[in-house]
């Protein structure tokens, strides 16, 4: 097994201590309102989030950050960060992406994931950008980085819904198995070449994230 593959597994591991376990991407609002209540509705919700939000914005940005790292292009990196900030009007989603990105960057430095400081991604940027930059510097293929980002996002959503619905762990794995072919197809679809191609249309998720701030009780930060 190559060290590049092992690095990708480490980078996308759900046990990576960067705080993703504390976020539900607005799914907690849908669960409290009864819109997500079982495996079928959970699968639909995760699929929609991947297809309409995470895929065309975060995963696509991950692939572009990979290119930025390839050319040590910090301007492209920060241009992507500005575009992502402008596209997120839900403060919780913005803070979640930023805090996990900072933690991933810090972890890469402190854990020895990258030992050459000149290869570290620029500071204070979103998780998807740090992920893409690190993947390049670790020798991972771009397509594999995007695929891993999509899968780890789906896995984090499943983990949240297992605790929220509650959903059995076996059902959680069934959801991931069902979504694998679609994630593979999305990883090809959302490898883009220009930042202008980034897009997102998930108004209900954005609204749920805003409303999440006012929920009576919450398990998650977003």
């Amino acid at each position: 097994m190559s060290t590049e593959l092992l690095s990708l597994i480490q980078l996308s591991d759900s046990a990576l201590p960067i705080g993703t376990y504390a976020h539900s991407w607005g799914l907690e609002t849908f669960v409290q309102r009864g819109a997500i209540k079982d495996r079928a509705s959970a699968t639909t919700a995760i699929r929609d989030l991947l297809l309409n939000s995470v895929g065309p914005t975060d995963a696509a940005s991950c692939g572009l950050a990979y290119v930025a790292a390839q050319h040590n292009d910090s301007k492209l990196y920060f241009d992507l960060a500005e575009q992502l900030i402008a596209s997120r009007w839900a403060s919780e989603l913005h803070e979640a992406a930023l805090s996990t990105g900072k933690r991933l960057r810090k972890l890469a430095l402190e854990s020895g994931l990258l030992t050459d400081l000149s290869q570290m991604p620029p500071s204070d940027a979103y998780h998807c950008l740090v992920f893409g930059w690190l993947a390049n510097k670790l020798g991972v293929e771009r397509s594999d980085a995007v695929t891993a980002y999509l899968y780890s996002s789906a896995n984090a959503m499943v983990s949240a819904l297992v605790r929220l619905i509650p959903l059995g762990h076996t059902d959680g794995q069934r959801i991931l198995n069902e979504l694998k072919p679609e994630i593979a197809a999305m990883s090809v679809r959302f490898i883009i070449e220009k930042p202008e191609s980034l897009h997102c249309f998930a108004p209900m998720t954005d609204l749920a994230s805003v409303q999440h701030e006012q929920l009576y009780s919450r398990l998650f930060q977003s």
Side-chain angles (χ1 to χ4, degrees):
M1 182 180 289
S2 69
T3 56
E4 290 81 7
L5 176 57
L6 290 173
S7 294
L8 182 60
I9 292 172
Q10 182 182 9
L11 194 61
S12 56
D13 189 349
S14 61
L16 205 67
I18 60 173
T20 53
Y21 66 90
H23 303 283
S24 78
W25 291 269
L27 293 173
E28 186 168 17
T29 303
F30 291 120
V31 171
Q32 285 203 21
R33 293 184 173 174
I36 302 175
K37 56 185 182 298
D38 52 25
R39 179 162 64 93
S41 54
T43 304
T44 299
I46 294 172
R47 179 187 293 113
D48 288 347
L49 261 175
L50 292 175
L51 189 60
N52 298 307
S53 180
V54 175
T57 52
D58 298 80
S61 295
C62 171
L64 287 170
Y66 182 102
V67 174
Q70 207 168 22
H71 302 289
N72 291 312
D73 188 348
S74 58
K75 182 182 184 304
L76 172 58
Y77 188 91
F78 284 122
D79 284 348
L80 287 167
E82 288 184 1
Q83 191 162 340
L84 286 170
I85 290 169
S87 69
R88 280 195 170 95
W89 57 276
S91 61
E92 285 190 347
L93 293 179
H94 165 72
E95 292 299 329
L98 190 59
S99 64
T100 52
K102 287 180 179 178
R103 289 172 188 163
L104 179 57
R105 184 182 186 277
K106 185 171 183 283
L107 183 68
L109 176 62
E110 294 179 349
S111 67
L113 192 62
L114 282 183
T115 55
D116 183 353
L117 295 185
S118 67
Q119 292 188 316
M120 286 298 293
S123 61
D124 295 350
Y126 278 4
H127 175 256
C128 59
L129 302 182
V130 178
F131 189 103
W133 182 285
L134 289 176
N136 173 265
K137 297 304 183 183
L138 292 169
V140 174
E141 293 292 329
R142 183 185 180 191
S143 59
D144 291 338
V146 173
T147 303
Y149 187 85
L150 284 164
Y151 180 83
S152 65
S153 298
N155 191 37
M157 293 175 202
V158 165
S159 177
L161 291 174
V162 163
R163 287 172 279 169
L164 283 168
I165 292 176
L167 194 69
H169 288 284
T170 300
D171 276 339
Q173 293 306 306
R174 286 187 179 123
I175 292 172
L176 289 172
N177 279 329
E178 184 176 337
L179 290 174
K180 278 179 187 176
E182 296 176 64
I183 289 172
M186 288 182 209
S187 68
V188 175
R189 175 178 176 180
F190 295 127
I191 292 181
I192 61 175
E193 303 305 323
K194 297 179 180 180
E196 298 79 36
S197 299
L198 293 174
H199 64 279
C200 175
F201 187 74
M204 295 304 293
T205 298
D206 289 336
L207 181 59
S209 297
V210 171
Q211 293 170 337
H212 183 263
E213 300 174 17
Q214 307 300 324
L215 291 183
Y216 179 74
S217 62
R218 299 187 301 176
L219 290 178
F220 294 87
Q221 295 176 25
S222 71

